[in-house]
Amino acid sequence: MLSSENFPSASSEQSQDLEAKLQAILQADFKGSLHVMLASYQRTLADNQQHELWPLVHDKLQTLFMCGKAVPLDGPMIGIPVAIRDSDYFSNAAKLFGKDRSLLASIEVMATAWNATFADTGLWMGKTFEPVSEAVVRNKCDDDPDLMTAYDPDTSRIGRNFFRAPPESDALQSIALPVLEQAWKLKDRPLSTDAEVFDAELLTANLEKEKAIPYSKTGGIYLAAMGASVVPEMQGKQVYQLNYRWPKLNPVFPMTLLVDELVQIGEGIYLGQLVYATKHYSLGAIDLPFIPGEKDIELGEPYQPSKHSIFESIRTMLTGHRKPHAPDYGYQNNGYFLMMDPVYAKQVYADDAFPQLRPCPGEIGFKELGYEPSPAVTTTERRESNWLNGWRDDEILKQKFTTMITEPSTQSSDGDVREMLGEHESVLQMLQRISADISAQSKHEDHLKHFEQLHRLFRSGVAPKINNGLFQGSGKNGYNVRLDGREAHDWHGEAEVTQGFDYYHGATLNLHWGFSETFCPDRDSSILGATLMPSVLANALSAEALRGPNVMNMVWHNIGKYIFPWAGKSFEKISPRKLSMLLDESADLSERYPQRVGELKHHLASAPHYSLVKTNQKNYWGRPGRYAAHLGNSWDQGMSDEDKAFWRQEAAERWLMGYNLQDKRVVAADALMRIADMNYRVPEPVLQQASEASGSPFVRQGYCFLGVADQESILPMNNSAEVSKRVFQFHYRFPMIGGPVPIGFCLDELVEIADGLFLGQLIYSTALDEPFHSAIDPSEYKYQLFGYFLLLDDDWERHRQAIKLDTLD
């Protein structure tokens, strides 16, 4: 169906060039599924951080469209926007300078706004193409001669669009459909052939096909027929044309400008281009006063392609032309969309295609396509029946939830922490009880003495390991999931695919104002020496006065957790090339990694990391970094084979790449997060969908870190004179990692206390004026404990939601 012969090339050279472009796409991007290939294009164009790749993807879509075959469509089709482009009102001027688009249009304001709001949702869900009589067409187009000549009962259709409230929508997305319903006068989804919908003949067969498409409202009417493309660059290519502009269709802006064009590019796959007029258009019509329903006042120029002004008619007579020229509407391509046959719905909704369009529970299509769970009860589903108390009747879960993973504490006085677990109590319920006790005690005095039970648990926990680059716990499996991605991502000039992906849900136990230990390390003395001061002043500056109530913890549990969308952490393998870059502290970072340093510089929230780059240039510390011996040259600039072997071993045995996860609440601040966090990204569907079964899905990744195994704890409280506590650490501080303030001061530590349940210490440097360098003793940075958090696998997460530990209800 894809062939350069489908395009009316002006020369053999143009035809050969088009064929070469088509073959290049198929060889480089096509991996056996057009759905998957097109989905990768859509995700690139939906990511504002990949703006520099958009022109390349637009060129590929244009090539596919030019090589597509013009065929009529019939019945319902699943739809998704692939790209949205601004109209270019200065395109002619741009072409004088050899540019395809003007500088103003290349900013792509509409695309950027769409990506920040609706690109990852399913607001628009497709179209349907219904039979239409000649009389209806004649009436709707006001007997336009060109359209009536093209009328064919086998190919001419009247159509309407499908709209759906985006699942798990944020505030803006939730009001989108109600606004459209009023503005575009949408109607309810027809459920029978008796429904009266826009002069269409509803067929039983088409309504049955619609059951694969989850939508609730319909509208946006058009007339469809075979015809020649109205976009000049298409050189009269044959397309299936959808025209919304006829006044008697009552189009609402921007449909008063819109003509869609479709071609077939694969079995059941149709590529469409959005075409908008930039001249001679209407902003819509309004009712005459006191005559409701009569839309006679046009705000602009009504669409009348075959009717010409008296001046055009006079000019035609004087020039001797047989008929007046059609108006020049200045049509331009404004993006692309897909129409996909619902017969292939499972391929469309697959994890590696467009899972965001998949029907959700309660929507039409969820049951019809088999997404509803089978009546057969699996072990996992049986467990889910009662995560509050029912786990006690499931031997597998009972053992998991009541067995602690421990090792001898670094402090003998800690004793056996397993004695802390109450009868008929899960480890998580134990933590909930301890957390409540800490909150009750610390609300009067914020002091670490109230956290002693959590200290004991942490010192007795077992640090997770890294095995062949994979995160590995000490439980039965040692992981929550193990997945590999399917999409290639560019990492500063080298394509990589996510490998060994694992994730854990997150919960906060108790927070603490760690600066108090820095300002007043000894609670039995004042910070200035009370014996040398007047008693009133000494009391005011005493440790007790400085500490006060645990405001930080109270604010989190009463306000913070409802605002901040942290949902856990993910882990994945890290390539030795990436690892060597992110641990590099050389003086010439700007020369070694100009693109990465440029991103640090232009993300203002990453100013502390960029400041480290500049500080390194001055040899501020006067000593080499921890890994300087293996960074004489960067990976891409002459690194020796011996040093590359070192980094391969480090990546396999000690380090991994990590991200913090955010839930759907972050989407409301999507645009801000993309600006603030240079590492913020939308995870590919195969990874994102992995968490949906748990009921606590994540939708974004950001605040990246390096995870490293078998490290000595940086907190003295975790160690003793005889032995140091071994922990798993999360590093955010190396300059090339990047990330927004205050994450650059963070260095967390983690241990496992039960199968799939991890206890973490939230640790920050309180020496805020001391630049980080790996060669400096950690004590110089005055690291302090700011609280405890949990990472939980899917079983523990379901249990957490049931017992309502750090949840939103």
Side-chain angles (χ1 to χ4, degrees), residues 179-256:
V179 169
L180 285 181
E181 183 179 357
Q182 294 299 317
W184 291 2
K185 294 181 170 50
L186 304 182
K187 294 187 178 182
D188 291 334
R189 173 181 187 146
L191 300 176
S192 73
T193 56
D194 296 330
E196 296 183 2
V197 183
F198 313 112
D199 300 307
E201 180 184 350
L202 298 181
L203 303 180
T204 301
N206 287 344
L207 288 178
E208 188 65 25
K209 290 180 181 179
E210 284 188 15
K211 291 182 179 179
I213 307 174
Y215 79 94
S216 57
K217 297 293 180 179
T218 187
I221 313 305
Y222 54 84
L223 294 177
M226 299 294 292
S229 174
V230 296
V231 179
E233 291 79 5
M234 290 296 110
Q235 300 176 189
K237 173 181 171 59
Q238 285 296 296
V239 296
Y240 193 55
Q241 200 167 78
L242 287 53
N243 195 325
Y244 295 79
R245 303 191 66 195
W246 303 106
K248 288 191 176 179
L249 293 175
N250 296 322
V252 180
F253 184 85
M255 286 183 285
T256 53

Side-chain angles (χ1 to χ4, degrees), residues 188-467:
D188 291 334
R189 173 181 187 146
L191 300 176
S192 73
T193 56
D194 296 330
E196 296 183 2
V197 183
F198 313 112
D199 300 307
E201 180 184 350
L202 298 181
L203 303 180
T204 301
N206 287 344
L207 288 178
E208 188 65 25
K209 290 180 181 179
E210 284 188 15
K211 291 182 179 179
I213 307 174
Y215 79 94
S216 57
K217 297 293 180 179
T218 187
I221 313 305
Y222 54 84
L223 294 177
M226 299 294 292
S229 174
V230 296
V231 179
E233 291 79 5
M234 290 296 110
Q235 300 176 189
K237 173 181 171 59
Q238 285 296 296
V239 296
Y240 193 55
Q241 200 167 78
L242 287 53
N243 195 325
Y244 295 79
R245 303 191 66 195
W246 303 106
K248 288 191 176 179
L249 293 175
N250 296 322
V252 180
F253 184 85
M255 286 183 285
T256 53
L257 290 67
L258 178 60
V259 177
D260 288 339
E261 297 181 343
L262 284 160
V263 294
Q264 187 173 18
I265 61 172
E267 187 65 37
I269 304 177
Y270 307 86
L271 180 62
Q273 66 171 346
L274 292 162
V275 180
Y276 281 97
T278 59
K279 303 176 183 177
H280 308 298
Y281 57 80
S282 168
L283 297 177
I286 60 175
D287 293 336
L288 284 171
F290 313 112
I291 312 178
E294 290 296 325
K295 295 182 178 296
D296 286 342
I297 302 180
E298 286 281 348
L299 303 178
E301 185 176 334
Y303 177 68
Q304 297 175 310
S306 297
K307 294 186 178 180
H308 308 278
S309 69
I310 187 172
F311 301 104
E312 180 67 21
S313 300
I314 294 173
R315 190 179 70 84
T316 300
M317 287 190 299
L318 293 176
T319 58
H321 289 137
R322 296 179 60 183
K323 68 174 185 177
H325 290 290
D328 177 13
Y329 287 111
Y331 286 116
Q332 292 184 6
N333 172 284
N334 285 77
Y336 294 92
F337 62 96
L338 288 174
M339 296 272 86
M340 296 168 285
D341 195 320
V343 170
Y344 302 98
K346 281 300 187 70
Q347 291 95 313
V348 175
Y349 300 144
D351 288 345
D352 55 359
F354 304 101
Q356 66 270 41
L357 305 181
R358 185 183 301 163
C360 296
E363 290 185 310
I364 292 177
F366 185 74
K367 180 179 180 181
E368 288 79 359
L369 293 174
Y371 292 115
E372 191 172 53
S374 170
V377 180
T378 65
T379 301
T380 301
E381 289 164 345
R382 185 170 64 250
R383 295 177 191 170
E384 292 175 351
S385 62
N386 189 345
W387 288 97
L388 182 62
N389 299 307
W391 57 269
R392 298 191 183 98
D393 299 323
D394 187 307
E395 286 303 319
I396 297 176
L397 278 183
K398 182 179 180 180
Q399 181 176 4
K400 179 175 182 176
F401 282 4
T402 59
T403 303
M404 299 182 67
I405 292 176
T406 64
E407 65 182 13
S409 171
T410 53
Q411 299 184 14
S412 58
S413 59
D414 284 344
D416 187 352
V417 295
R418 291 174 294 185
E419 296 177 354
M420 297 166 61
L421 187 64
E423 187 177 5
H424 305 304
E425 189 178 50
S426 71
V427 177
L428 197 61
Q429 288 170 323
M430 174 193 74
L431 290 167
Q432 186 178 39
R433 170 173 51 81
I434 292 173
S435 178
D437 290 343
I438 293 173
S439 295
Q441 296 175 61
S442 66
K443 71 178 181 181
H444 302 297
E445 178 204 27
D446 185 11
H447 197 283
L448 282 179
K449 68 178 182 179
H450 304 306
F451 290 71
E452 189 57 35
Q453 287 181 293
L454 293 182
H455 301 337
R456 292 175 57 200
L457 284 168
F458 188 88
R459 289 191 290 258
S460 300
V462 178
K465 299 177 175 59
I466 292 177
N467 183 14

Side-chain angles (χ1 to χ4, degrees), residues 89-131:
Y89 292 94
F90 304 98
S91 59
N92 291 333
K95 290 175 182 177
L96 295 176
F97 294 92
K99 302 291 186 180
D100 292 331
R101 289 172 69 75
S102 66
L103 180 62
L104 181 62
S106 65
I107 298 174
E108 303 293 4
V109 175
M110 288 295 297
T112 303
W114 174 262
N115 292 344
T117 52
F118 296 104
D120 297 319
T121 71
L123 177 63
W124 175 70
M125 287 298 299
K127 306 174 187 287
T128 188
F129 301 81
E130 305 289 352

Side-chain angles (χ1 to χ4, degrees), residues 145-198:
D146 291 334
L147 186 60
M148 293 314 303
T149 300
Y151 176 80
D152 182 338
D154 293 330
T155 60
S156 295
R157 296 287 182 265
I158 190 169
R160 53 189 169 84
N161 287 267
F162 302 148
F163 299 94
R164 163 204 204 185
E168 301 182 352
S169 54
D170 59 32
L172 176 61
Q173 294 163 358
S174 65
I175 66 172
L177 187 57
V179 169
L180 285 181
E181 183 179 357
Q182 294 299 317
W184 291 2
K185 294 181 170 50
L186 304 182
K187 294 187 178 182
D188 291 334
R189 173 181 187 146
L191 300 176
S192 73
T193 56
D194 296 330
E196 296 183 2
V197 183
F198 313 112

